[in-house]
Amino acid sequence: MPRRPIARAESSSPHTKAASSSSRPTSKHCAGSALLIKNTRPSRNRCPPWQRKGRLMQARFALKTTLTCVTLVLVASCSSTSSGTPTPTTSSSVAQNEKSLPYAGAPGVATPLDSSKIDQDPCSVATPAQISSISGGILKNSSKFDAGAGSVDCAWVLADGLGRLTTGVAMETNAGLSSIYDKNVKKQLTSFKAIPAIDGHPGVAFANGGEASTVCNVAVGLSDSRIYLAIANLGPRNPKADNPCGIATDLAELAVQHLKGA
């Protein structure tokens, strides 16, 4: 989805993660590349690409909203003064300083979904049998972990080095798909392609640069302000290694269906 969001990309170095631990990787683990936030140089002691440690937070965006006075409506300390008399900020002036969702050409989400039931329980969106069915391999283990910025993600590790799937709701952005579309407009992505809507929810497959051909990042709009990120990071021996975006899309579809109670 692999120092999601927003949107969720994982690096060209696929990763594996021990299911028994949800803690952050230590220096003994193989290092991955942080994509949306930064790129790091690979060390000489490199593990096989599909065995490197990584997190969906590497796919997530460094989209931190800066709070400004215009968002503190009617607060005197953020208001202009005249002759010592505070002048409250009006709602119209706030609107002029905030972007309305969606923007940057992103599609709107007609039927928003409440993601609260998976925000802290990301592995509940799919059963082991479903993961094995869509992934091209047998599920070895799964675990949730803290991805930072309030996001909790799930990692599904496939047996025999066939890859890793990572998913979660991107809590670090409130701009939804607009955040990804905006990056595309600013030419900050190396690939960008809208995918067919999933049960009425628009989505996009994208790359930040450096991803291997066996890695795909997919973001689906749950609402105008919230996205679900799914990353397929496949090993070269995976029989579906040539279609990681298909797997990431299938996983995102399972999440949407789960939220809809299907």
Side-chain angles (χ1 to χ4, degrees):
M1 338 173 69
R3 279 276 245 182
R4 233 111 135 194
I6 79 198
R8 151 276 274 251
E10 293 204 5
S11 69
S12 58
S13 307
H15 316 288
T16 58
K17 178 178 179 69
S20 61
S21 173
S22 61
S23 61
R24 297 182 181 275
T26 68
S27 59
K28 293 182 180 181
H29 293 294
C30 304
S33 300
L35 296 174
L36 280 169
I37 302 175
K38 64 181 181 179
N39 290 320
T40 57
R41 294 180 179 275
S43 63
R44 291 184 178 180
N45 183 21
R46 302 180 65 184
C47 292
W50 59 93
Q51 292 183 353
R52 296 182 193 163
K53 193 92 168 174
R55 294 188 174 197
L56 181 58
M57 64 181 294
Q58 296 173 326
R60 298 181 174 284
F61 307 101
L63 300 177
K64 295 183 178 179
T65 303
T66 302
L67 296 179
T68 61
C69 288
V70 296
T71 61
L72 303 178
V73 184
L74 302 180
V75 176
S77 62
C78 293
S79 305
S80 60
T81 60
S82 176
S83 300
T85 303
T87 303
T89 304
T90 64
S91 58
S92 60
S93 65
V94 172
Q96 291 173 357
N97 287 278
E98 294 181 340
K99 289 183 178 180
S100 297
L101 296 175
Y103 61 86
V109 179
T111 55
L113 288 174
D114 179 7
S115 67
S116 59
K117 71 178 182 178
I118 66 171
D119 289 345
Q120 302 300 313
D121 189 17
C123 295
S124 66
V125 302
T127 65
Q130 288 174 319
I131 294 298
S132 296
S133 175
I134 69 172
S135 65
I138 301 300
L139 179 64
K140 180 179 180 181
N141 53 58
S142 64
S143 63
K144 67 178 183 179
F145 61 91
D146 180 1
S151 299
V152 178
D153 302 323
C154 185
W156 286 277
V157 179
L158 305 180
D160 302 321
L162 294 184
R164 168 191 176 104
L165 309 181
T166 317
T167 62
V169 178
M171 304 298 291
E172 70 273 25
T173 178
N174 292 316
L177 283 176
S178 296
S179 58
I180 303 179
Y181 274 74
D182 188 53
K183 282 184 170 288
N184 184 53
V185 170
K186 294 176 179 177
K187 301 187 184 303
Q188 295 174 351
L189 301 176
T190 56
S191 71
F192 177 92
K193 182 180 180 181
I195 63 174
I198 297 175
D199 287 346
H201 291 263
V204 62
F206 66 97
N208 299 280
E211 289 92 335
S213 60
T214 56
V215 176
C216 184
N217 317 297
V218 166
V220 175
L222 301 180
S223 67
D224 286 346
S225 62
R226 191 69 73 210
I227 57 172
Y228 183 82
L229 292 170
I231 298 175
N233 190 344
L234 307 181
R237 294 186 295 108
N238 190 305
K240 296 185 178 182
D242 61 344
N243 187 28
C245 287
I247 294 177
T249 300
D250 287 344
L251 185 51
E253 183 174 4
L254 288 176
V256 170
Q257 291 175 345
H258 177 74
L259 289 174
K260 288 188 173 185

mmCIF file of all heavy atoms in Angstrom, residues 139-163:
data_model
loop_
_atom_site.group_PDB
_atom_site.id
_atom_site.type_symbol
_atom_site.label_atom_id
_atom_site.label_comp_id
_atom_site.label_asym_id
_atom_site.label_seq_id
_atom_site.Cartn_x
_atom_site.Cartn_y
_atom_site.Cartn_z
ATOM 1 N N LEU A 139 -1.551 -17.645 2.421
ATOM 2 C CA LEU A 139 -1.266 -16.724 3.505
ATOM 3 C C LEU A 139 -0.463 -17.421 4.611
ATOM 4 O O LEU A 139 -0.838 -18.460 5.117
ATOM 5 C CB LEU A 139 -2.572 -16.181 4.096
ATOM 6 C CG LEU A 139 -2.418 -15.204 5.276
ATOM 7 C CD1 LEU A 139 -1.705 -13.940 4.838
ATOM 8 C CD2 LEU A 139 -3.784 -14.883 5.870
ATOM 9 N N LYS A 140 0.653 -16.815 4.965
ATOM 10 C CA LYS A 140 1.494 -17.352 6.032
ATOM 11 C C LYS A 140 1.071 -16.773 7.376
ATOM 12 O O LYS A 140 0.892 -17.507 8.346
ATOM 13 C CB LYS A 140 2.955 -17.012 5.752
ATOM 14 C CG LYS A 140 3.927 -17.528 6.808
ATOM 15 C CD LYS A 140 5.360 -17.165 6.441
ATOM 16 C CE LYS A 140 6.342 -17.680 7.480
ATOM 17 N NZ LYS A 140 7.739 -17.301 7.124
ATOM 18 N N ASN A 141 0.932 -15.461 7.439
ATOM 19 C CA ASN A 141 0.493 -14.816 8.666
ATOM 20 C C ASN A 141 0.040 -13.393 8.367
ATOM 21 O O ASN A 141 0.268 -12.868 7.274
ATOM 22 C CB ASN A 141 1.596 -14.813 9.738
ATOM 23 C CG ASN A 141 2.895 -14.215 9.203
ATOM 24 O OD1 ASN A 141 2.922 -13.069 8.754
ATOM 25 N ND2 ASN A 141 3.971 -14.996 9.253
ATOM 26 N N SER A 142 -0.605 -12.789 9.348
ATOM 27 C CA SER A 142 -1.050 -11.403 9.212
ATOM 28 C C SER A 142 -0.927 -10.710 10.548
ATOM 29 O O SER A 142 -0.977 -11.354 11.606
ATOM 30 C CB SER A 142 -2.502 -11.337 8.712
ATOM 31 O OG SER A 142 -3.382 -11.912 9.663
ATOM 32 N N SER A 143 -0.771 -9.413 10.509
ATOM 33 C CA SER A 143 -0.672 -8.641 11.743
ATOM 34 C C SER A 143 -0.965 -7.185 11.454
ATOM 35 O O SER A 143 -0.746 -6.702 10.346
ATOM 36 C CB SER A 143 0.717 -8.777 12.367
ATOM 37 O OG SER A 143 1.700 -8.245 11.501
ATOM 38 N N LYS A 144 -1.467 -6.483 12.461
ATOM 39 C CA LYS A 144 -1.676 -5.055 12.312
ATOM 40 C C LYS A 144 -0.526 -4.326 12.990
ATOM 41 O O LYS A 144 0.119 -4.855 13.901
ATOM 42 C CB LYS A 144 -3.019 -4.624 12.894
ATOM 43 C CG LYS A 144 -3.158 -4.744 14.398
ATOM 44 C CD LYS A 144 -4.530 -4.234 14.839
ATOM 45 C CE LYS A 144 -4.674 -4.265 16.355
ATOM 46 N NZ LYS A 144 -5.998 -3.741 16.787
ATOM 47 N N PHE A 145 -0.265 -3.100 12.535
ATOM 48 C CA PHE A 145 0.830 -2.339 13.101
ATOM 49 C C PHE A 145 0.540 -0.843 13.012
ATOM 50 O O PHE A 145 -0.282 -0.395 12.210
ATOM 51 C CB PHE A 145 2.153 -2.666 12.400
ATOM 52 C CG PHE A 145 2.160 -2.357 10.925
ATOM 53 C CD1 PHE A 145 2.583 -1.126 10.447
ATOM 54 C CD2 PHE A 145 1.742 -3.314 10.008
ATOM 55 C CE1 PHE A 145 2.585 -0.843 9.090
ATOM 56 C CE2 PHE A 145 1.745 -3.044 8.655
ATOM 57 C CZ PHE A 145 2.172 -1.803 8.188
ATOM 58 N N ASP A 146 1.209 -0.102 13.853
ATOM 59 C CA ASP A 146 1.060 1.348 13.884
ATOM 60 C C ASP A 146 1.852 1.940 12.729
ATOM 61 O O ASP A 146 3.071 1.816 12.663
ATOM 62 C CB ASP A 146 1.580 1.879 15.219
ATOM 63 C CG ASP A 146 1.457 3.388 15.348
ATOM 64 O OD1 ASP A 146 0.946 4.034 14.403
ATOM 65 O OD2 ASP A 146 1.882 3.926 16.380
ATOM 66 N N ALA A 147 1.152 2.589 11.802
ATOM 67 C CA ALA A 147 1.799 3.175 10.634
ATOM 68 C C ALA A 147 2.086 4.657 10.821
ATOM 69 O O ALA A 147 2.565 5.311 9.912
ATOM 70 C CB ALA A 147 0.934 2.973 9.388
ATOM 71 N N GLY A 148 1.789 5.182 11.988
ATOM 72 C CA GLY A 148 2.052 6.582 12.253
ATOM 73 C C GLY A 148 0.898 7.482 11.860
ATOM 74 O O GLY A 148 0.013 7.093 11.094
ATOM 75 N N ALA A 149 0.900 8.700 12.390
ATOM 76 C CA ALA A 149 -0.122 9.711 12.087
ATOM 77 C C ALA A 149 -1.533 9.216 12.383
ATOM 78 O O ALA A 149 -2.482 9.611 11.718
ATOM 79 C CB ALA A 149 -0.006 10.157 10.631
ATOM 80 N N GLY A 150 -1.660 8.317 13.346
ATOM 81 C CA GLY A 150 -2.969 7.805 13.726
ATOM 82 C C GLY A 150 -3.463 6.648 12.887
ATOM 83 O O GLY A 150 -4.562 6.140 13.106
ATOM 84 N N SER A 151 -2.674 6.209 11.930
ATOM 85 C CA SER A 151 -3.073 5.112 11.040
ATOM 86 C C SER A 151 -2.624 3.764 11.592
ATOM 87 O O SER A 151 -1.510 3.624 12.086
ATOM 88 C CB SER A 151 -2.466 5.302 9.647
ATOM 89 O OG SER A 151 -2.907 6.499 9.052
ATOM 90 N N VAL A 152 -3.515 2.782 11.492
ATOM 91 C CA VAL A 152 -3.193 1.407 11.864
ATOM 92 C C VAL A 152 -3.422 0.561 10.618
ATOM 93 O O VAL A 152 -4.506 0.579 10.037
ATOM 94 C CB VAL A 152 -4.077 0.901 13.016
ATOM 95 C CG1 VAL A 152 -3.752 -0.548 13.344
ATOM 96 C CG2 VAL A 152 -3.882 1.778 14.245
ATOM 97 N N ASP A 153 -2.405 -0.168 10.193
ATOM 98 C CA ASP A 153 -2.471 -0.923 8.950
ATOM 99 C C ASP A 153 -2.342 -2.418 9.178
ATOM 100 O O ASP A 153 -1.953 -2.859 10.257
ATOM 101 C CB ASP A 153 -1.375 -0.452 7.997
ATOM 102 C CG ASP A 153 -1.470 1.028 7.700
ATOM 103 O OD1 ASP A 153 -2.600 1.542 7.596
ATOM 104 O OD2 ASP A 153 -0.426 1.674 7.577
ATOM 105 N N CYS A 154 -2.659 -3.177 8.151
ATOM 106 C CA CYS A 154 -2.567 -4.635 8.224
ATOM 107 C C CYS A 154 -1.579 -5.137 7.174
ATOM 108 O O CYS A 154 -1.579 -4.662 6.031
ATOM 109 C CB CYS A 154 -3.930 -5.289 7.990
ATOM 110 S SG CYS A 154 -3.895 -7.097 8.200
ATOM 111 N N ALA A 155 -0.748 -6.072 7.572
ATOM 112 C CA ALA A 155 0.193 -6.704 6.648
ATOM 113 C C ALA A 155 -0.145 -8.181 6.543
ATOM 114 O O ALA A 155 -0.228 -8.873 7.569
ATOM 115 C CB ALA A 155 1.633 -6.528 7.137
ATOM 116 N N TRP A 156 -0.367 -8.634 5.334
ATOM 117 C CA TRP A 156 -0.591 -10.049 5.062
ATOM 118 C C TRP A 156 0.662 -10.579 4.360
ATOM 119 O O TRP A 156 0.989 -10.137 3.247
ATOM 120 C CB TRP A 156 -1.805 -10.263 4.162
ATOM 121 C CG TRP A 156 -3.136 -10.066 4.823
ATOM 122 C CD1 TRP A 156 -3.825 -10.964 5.581
ATOM 123 C CD2 TRP A 156 -3.963 -8.886 4.777
ATOM 124 N NE1 TRP A 156 -5.026 -10.427 6.002
ATOM 125 C CE2 TRP A 156 -5.134 -9.156 5.526
ATOM 126 C CE3 TRP A 156 -3.824 -7.636 4.164
ATOM 127 C CZ2 TRP A 156 -6.153 -8.230 5.687
ATOM 128 C CZ3 TRP A 156 -4.836 -6.700 4.329
ATOM 129 C CH2 TRP A 156 -5.983 -6.999 5.080
ATOM 130 N N VAL A 157 1.348 -11.502 4.975
ATOM 131 C CA VAL A 157 2.579 -12.059 4.421
ATOM 132 C C VAL A 157 2.286 -13.425 3.812
ATOM 133 O O VAL A 157 1.703 -14.300 4.468
ATOM 134 C CB VAL A 157 3.670 -12.191 5.502
ATOM 135 C CG1 VAL A 157 4.945 -12.799 4.912
ATOM 136 C CG2 VAL A 157 3.965 -10.830 6.120
ATOM 137 N N LEU A 158 2.695 -13.590 2.561
ATOM 138 C CA LEU A 158 2.449 -14.854 1.864
ATOM 139 C C LEU A 158 3.596 -15.829 2.099
ATOM 140 O O LEU A 158 4.754 -15.429 2.287
ATOM 141 C CB LEU A 158 2.295 -14.598 0.354
ATOM 142 C CG LEU A 158 1.227 -13.584 -0.045
ATOM 143 C CD1 LEU A 158 1.190 -13.439 -1.568
ATOM 144 C CD2 LEU A 158 -0.145 -13.979 0.489
ATOM 145 N N ALA A 159 3.283 -17.106 2.089
ATOM 146 C CA ALA A 159 4.296 -18.139 2.293
ATOM 147 C C ALA A 159 5.233 -18.218 1.097
ATOM 148 O O ALA A 159 4.922 -17.742 -0.003
ATOM 149 C CB ALA A 159 3.608 -19.494 2.522
ATOM 150 N N ASP A 160 6.408 -18.802 1.329
ATOM 151 C CA ASP A 160 7.393 -19.088 0.278
ATOM 152 C C ASP A 160 7.899 -17.832 -0.427
ATOM 153 O O ASP A 160 8.281 -17.884 -1.604
ATOM 154 C CB ASP A 160 6.804 -20.056 -0.762
ATOM 155 C CG ASP A 160 6.354 -21.378 -0.143
ATOM 156 O OD1 ASP A 160 7.067 -21.879 0.749
ATOM 157 O OD2 ASP A 160 5.293 -21.885 -0.541
ATOM 158 N N GLY A 161 7.895 -16.710 0.272
ATOM 159 C CA GLY A 161 8.449 -15.493 -0.320
ATOM 160 C C GLY A 161 7.671 -14.952 -1.501
ATOM 161 O O GLY A 161 8.233 -14.251 -2.352
ATOM 162 N N LEU A 162 6.373 -15.259 -1.567
ATOM 163 C CA LEU A 162 5.578 -14.838 -2.719
ATOM 164 C C LEU A 162 5.067 -13.404 -2.602
ATOM 165 O O LEU A 162 4.441 -12.891 -3.534
ATOM 166 C CB LEU A 162 4.403 -15.793 -2.931
ATOM 167 C CG LEU A 162 4.789 -17.227 -3.331
ATOM 168 C CD1 LEU A 162 3.544 -18.055 -3.606
ATOM 169 C CD2 LEU A 162 5.703 -17.212 -4.559
ATOM 170 N N GLY A 163 5.357 -12.752 -1.479
ATOM 171 C CA GLY A 163 5.006 -11.344 -1.393
ATOM 172 C C GLY A 163 4.293 -10.953 -0.122
ATOM 173 O O GLY A 163 4.169 -11.739 0.826
#
